[in-house]
Amino acid sequence: MSADGQPEKAKTTYREAMREALREALSADDRVFLMGEDVGRYGGCFGVSLGLLEEFGPERVRDTPLSESAFVGAGIGAALAGMRPIVEIMTVNFSLLALDQIVNNAATLLHMSGGQLPVPLVIRMTTGAGRQLAAQHSHSLEGWYAHIPGIRVLAPATIEDARHMLAPALAEPDPVLIFEHGSLYNAAGELSPPATAVDIDHATIRRPGTDISLITYGGSLPKALAAADELSTEGINAEVVDLRTLRPLDDEAITATVARTHRAVIVDEAWRTGSLAAEISARIAEESFYELDAPVERVCSAEVPIPYARRLEEAALPQTADIVAAAHRAVG
Amino acid sequence: MSLARNTRSRKAPGTPKPAKTAAKKTPTSKKSPTSKRTGRTEVPAAGPDAVHRMDLLAAMLRIRRFEERCVELYSAAKIRGFVHLYIGEEAVAVGVNEALYPEDAVVSTYREHGHALARGIPAEAVMAEMFGRTTGCSGGRGGSMHLFDASRRFYGGNAIVAGGLPLAAGLALADRMRDQPRVTCCFFGDGAFAEGEFHETANLAVLWNLPLLLVCENNLYAMGTALERHEAQTDLAMRAASYGMVAWAVDGMDVEAVEHAARRATEAIRGGAGPHFLEARTYRFRAHSMYDPDRYRDKEEIERWKTRDPVNQLMDRMREDDELGDEELTGIEHRVTDEVDRAVETAEQAPEEPVEDLLLHVTSAPAEAR
């Protein structure tokens, strides 16, 4: 405890918070093991699992070949046999090599078996652009996974969620996909112990407001918060909603925020066509049509494979200025 | 590393089982008393046993008659969907299953009626599944291609060629991590060799020394495409051996040869020898599925393979050795037909799941909570 009697806050990063979550999971339950590309000797493609091999050994921090389909499928099989695997895939782009296992097995076994075969598996991967990694390392395909019944899709946007979302994910009896935006790993801040458990059933409001709702998740949250700050200087009081769970979507939270502000901007780093932003827009049209004082705005990535060149990459992605501009259009 | 070996001779050298194997087997085996009533653990090739042969014959006939009834029911539109028949391949499921214990795991394909029945899933539960009824082994949500039985560690029923292989590696990995002396057996067809998942899994299995028995049912066709038209190198056992695992090819029309090879493999795997590959050279007498007009193969080829019918071959051998008379055969046929009749009858009368239950089992949470 600090001198003022408040719990001490620890300086940490999103990366360290995630590592601490993994360490806690591996310590708490011997059925848990981490498996994936470079998670052991290398310390994780993004340094998340650095040191865990030394602590838990090569059986439980298990390096895999670059065989996404085989090691994701092996995670499914191990989960069926009573283990609690955490599978790491370097990026969502690579997860497409395991799409068959995720969609045809992980998401469907419970149903096809008439409820006999739950798959308690956690798959973590990075998503998103912003680091000049070009098209094959930069896409935001979490919306594709959110399309699929039978899996839960999470997007931790804050250090707190990075630290505390893994435990409830592991407690789920069904497959959970966790999307970590690559640009968040270095995000630093203070983590207050003891944090409450993260609620993975509901969206959360990161900033309350009255004039407009900025609905977003994951790597776009810091941009939405920055946009809200900028709007506040103009006297526009924006509410920022962090969806946190992309499937199942928290319909009630979306309806409630629109009922409060009557205007909505959806910020989603995926492409606009067929995106999660499209789904949320449709739900607002279905559920909240008469609450709206302006058309729903969407800020998404340009319809282009994400380019390498810095200036072009920045232009392709939703930026704070784009969110502010969309809000201006809505407020009119 | 071992070279691919060929154990096609049914008179393969009999290796007397060490006493500890017998001691280990007895308390763990919970198979049906008929298939285990002799209490023998010797492989038949080491000395045929009339009672054991009778069990093998009954098990194959059971699958054969079950599927012949499926054809009638399909024609009568009582069962629908894709139905892939196993007729001609019965020796593989029956022979391999003889080497497995109840605590072992089985992963199968869309042509899995035979595997499911040999594994001990009641014919009633399989038939009810074909009818889409709640009493089916997958509650009517899987159908012919997705038979599951968690209590018998039967994990499908996978309709994606090679899709079950990584899953099987994971089941084996869990056993290995917990020091369970169990085997995971994965059935797949020759078509799986063209998929990356076979090769990824073989690599992983050897790297991690997984207790995995890979059983390739090489029936010479990937759907309608002949082996030499879908594989650049058709010696499958050799290719599997290239990963550093023990790989054998065996006559898949000879149930005793399959059993013998499978026993050798499972015993080695239980002893920690890592993954083994068994190529069962077999043939399906029927088309790929009920939709398939079967235009891609010669009638003579089918007839030639039919002369090697696994059921007839075993019956001939038993007759030769004075182990099977008309009376015994009639008895088996009656038992098997009765069982299939009963399965059809109960399936027809079984309830259909109410539409209100449609959203059950999408996630483990109750439907309204999603």
Side-chain angles (χ1 to χ4, degrees):
Chain A
M1 302 287 255
S2 63
D4 60 2
Q6 293 299 307
E8 273 192 56
K9 292 187 170 189
K11 262 282 200 212
T12 188
T13 61
Y14 185 96
R15 172 185 289 108
E16 287 163 3
M18 197 71 225
R19 183 186 305 143
E20 204 43 44
L22 289 167
R23 178 178 285 125
E24 180 190 59
L26 286 158
S27 303
D29 185 345
D30 59 14
R31 298 173 304 170
V32 171
F33 66 101
L34 175 67
M35 159 165 76
E37 294 157 338
D38 277 349
V39 298
R41 192 72 71 87
Y42 188 95
C45 294
F46 297 98
V48 170
S49 50
L50 196 66
L52 296 182
L53 171 69
E54 289 71 19
E55 202 172 333
F56 296 99
E59 281 280 298
R60 298 187 65 208
V61 180
R62 186 173 282 266
D63 279 318
T64 64
L66 309 186
S67 293
E68 286 81 1
S69 196
F71 71 72
V72 170
I76 297 168
L80 285 174
M83 303 296 280
R84 291 288 181 276
I86 303 169
V87 176
E88 177 177 311
I89 303 175
M90 186 178 171
T91 83
V92 65
N93 299 71
F94 305 167
S95 78
L96 303 190
L97 285 107
L99 205 53
D100 166 52
Q101 288 299 326
I102 298 171
V103 177
N104 285 319
N105 281 337
T108 55
L109 279 169
L110 180 72
H111 187 78
M112 287 199 307
S113 66
Q116 292 179 85
L117 299 179
V119 181
L121 169 71
V122 171
I123 304 174
R124 300 172 38 238
M125 63 186 102
T126 59
T127 186
R131 291 161 297 150
Q132 284 195 267
L133 299 177
Q136 292 180 350
H137 284 76
S138 297
H139 289 155
S140 293
L141 304 175
E142 54 276 2
W144 289 9
Y145 290 102
H147 175 65
I148 299 158
I151 51 182
R152 183 184 284 269
V153 179
L154 306 180
T158 63
I159 293 169
E160 282 75 19
D161 279 6
R163 174 64 185 83
H164 295 292
M165 206 179 246
L166 186 63
L170 279 166
E172 278 286 298
D174 303 314
V176 179
L177 270 57
I178 301 180
F179 287 90
E180 300 160 19
H181 197 287
S183 69
L184 292 175
Y185 284 123
N186 288 328
E190 289 180 336
L191 188 67
S192 330
T196 49
V198 167
D199 170 3
I200 58 170
D201 286 317
H202 296 99
T204 187
I205 293 171
R206 297 294 182 192
R207 175 194 172 111
T210 50
D211 301 331
I212 188 164
S213 299
L214 308 181
I215 301 170
T216 190
Y217 66 91
S220 297
L221 177 66
K223 293 173 181 174
L225 287 168
D229 281 346
E230 205 173 316
L231 290 165
S232 72
T233 63
E234 308 165 20
I236 300 170
N237 188 6
E239 177 154 290
V240 179
V241 178
D242 177 1
L243 292 169
R244 185 185 257 166
T245 299
L246 309 185
R247 186 181 186 100
L249 272 176
D250 186 350
D251 282 317
E252 279 176 30
I254 296 167
T255 310
T257 189
V258 174
R260 275 193 295 275
T261 66
H262 311 290
R263 292 175 172 83
V265 175
I266 302 156
V267 187
D268 177 2
E269 199 177 303
W271 297 296
R272 192 163 170 270
T273 304
S275 60
L276 205 61
E279 175 62 28
I280 295 162
S281 303
R283 292 191 188 202
I284 292 172
E286 287 165 351
E287 305 292 328
S288 307
F289 184 77
Y290 296 106
E291 293 285 351
L292 288 174
D293 287 345
V296 170
E297 291 281 340
R298 283 194 274 164
V299 181
C300 298
S301 282
E303 305 271 329
V304 59
I306 303 299
Y308 161 74
R310 186 177 188 84
R311 202 207 309 223
L312 295 178
E313 185 187 42
E314 281 175 2
L317 300 178
Q319 302 295 352
T320 302
D322 303 320
I323 303 168
V324 170
H328 283 157
R329 287 194 297 274
V331 173
Chain B
M1 165 142 175
S2 156
L3 292 174
R5 270 176 280 170
N6 195 321
T7 60
R8 300 189 83 170
S9 159
R10 76 180 169 92
K11 297 292 178 196
T15 27
K17 295 289 143 296
K20 63 173 184 170
T21 309
K24 193 165 133 194
K25 171 100 192 180
T26 315
T28 52
S29 177
K30 287 182 196 136
K31 284 190 180 176
S32 70
T34 46
S35 75
K36 287 290 171 265
R37 65 184 172 220
T38 59
R40 290 179 66 109
T41 56
E42 291 90 347
V43 292
D49 177 286
V51 178
H52 183 69
R53 278 179 162 183
M54 205 72 90
D55 291 337
L56 295 175
L57 179 63
M60 287 196 292
L61 268 173
R62 185 166 169 259
I63 298 169
R64 178 73 56 95
R65 298 295 174 250
F66 181 94
E67 291 207 310
E68 285 168 350
R69 188 65 60 86
C70 288
V71 176
E72 293 167 20
L73 293 163
Y74 192 89
S75 304
K78 297 268 187 167
I79 57 178
R80 296 275 84 189
F82 278 137
V83 174
H84 306 88
L85 298 173
Y86 196 61
I87 292 173
E89 303 186 28
E90 296 90 342
V92 187
V94 170
V96 169
N97 200 69
E98 284 297 316
L100 298 175
Y101 299 169
E103 63 271 25
D104 293 335
V106 174
V107 176
S108 184
T109 67
Y110 51 86
R111 194 183 304 286
E112 89 279 38
H113 306 157
H115 305 143
L117 291 169
R119 185 64 182 160
I121 305 180
E124 289 187 11
V126 179
M127 191 57 88
E129 189 57 35
M130 314 278 280
F131 275 74
R133 303 300 164 101
T134 50
T135 52
C137 62
S138 306
R141 283 171 160 79
S144 164
M145 294 187 286
H146 306 297
L147 306 174
F148 294 93
D149 187 339
S151 70
R152 290 179 176 81
R153 301 203 77 213
F154 191 82
Y155 298 99
N158 199 315
I160 311 292
V161 171
L165 281 147
L167 202 81
L171 290 162
L173 173 64
D175 287 338
R176 196 180 172 286
M177 288 181 77
R178 290 181 300 196
D179 289 325
Q180 298 271 5
R182 310 198 287 201
V183 172
T184 296
C185 169
C186 184
F187 291 100
F188 53 94
D190 48 296
F193 261 81
E195 296 272 2
E197 282 182 312
F198 169 79
H199 302 278
E200 289 189 24
T201 302
N203 182 48
L204 207 65
V206 175
L207 272 175
W208 292 353
N209 197 39
L210 299 180
L212 187 61
L213 174 61
L214 299 172
V215 180
C216 177
E217 299 183 313
N218 178 5
N219 65 17
L220 300 176
Y221 290 88
M223 298 200 292
T225 301
L227 183 66
E228 61 273 16
R229 296 180 63 214
H230 74 78
E231 293 307 304
Q233 168 53 263
T234 58
D235 187 339
L236 304 183
M238 183 192 81
R239 289 169 69 190
S242 79
Y243 285 97
M245 69 176 90
V246 180
W248 296 314
V250 64
D251 180 359
M253 306 305 267
D254 180 343
V255 65
E256 293 180 286
V258 173
E259 181 186 353
H260 178 74
R263 269 194 205 285
R264 283 178 63 185
T266 52
E267 278 163 24
I269 294 166
R270 281 181 225 287
H276 279 55
F277 175 92
L278 199 60
E279 175 197 348
R281 294 178 177 168
T282 184
Y283 198 78
R284 57 172 160 75
F285 296 165
R286 311 279 307 202
H288 168 67
S289 78
M290 294 300 291
Y291 280 111
D292 169 12
D294 210 354
R295 294 193 197 98
Y296 45 83
R297 35 181 211 179
D298 297 334
K299 297 289 165 282
E300 300 84 68
E301 179 184 290
I302 303 171
E303 292 312 312
R304 202 163 59 245
W305 275 92
K306 279 186 176 170
T307 63
R308 307 198 44 235
D309 184 318
V311 178
N312 293 343
Q313 277 201 87
L314 181 63
M315 288 200 297
D316 291 347
R317 207 178 291 159
M318 290 172 74
R319 284 202 180 96
E320 242 169 65
D321 294 346
D322 286 329
E323 292 169 354
L324 181 71
D326 291 345
E327 202 177 312
E328 283 107 330
L329 184 57
T330 313
I332 294 175
E333 285 279 15
H334 273 305
R335 275 212 312 280
V336 166
T337 310
D338 281 352
E339 190 186 350
V340 175
D341 286 346
R342 246 192 344 272
V344 176
E345 213 170 288
T346 53
E348 291 208 80
Q349 288 163 8
E352 293 192 77
E353 189 143 17
V355 171
E356 299 81 74
D357 288 351
L358 173 66
L359 296 183
L360 282 184
H361 312 313
V362 176
T363 62
S364 301
E368 63 274 13
R370 279 193 301 277

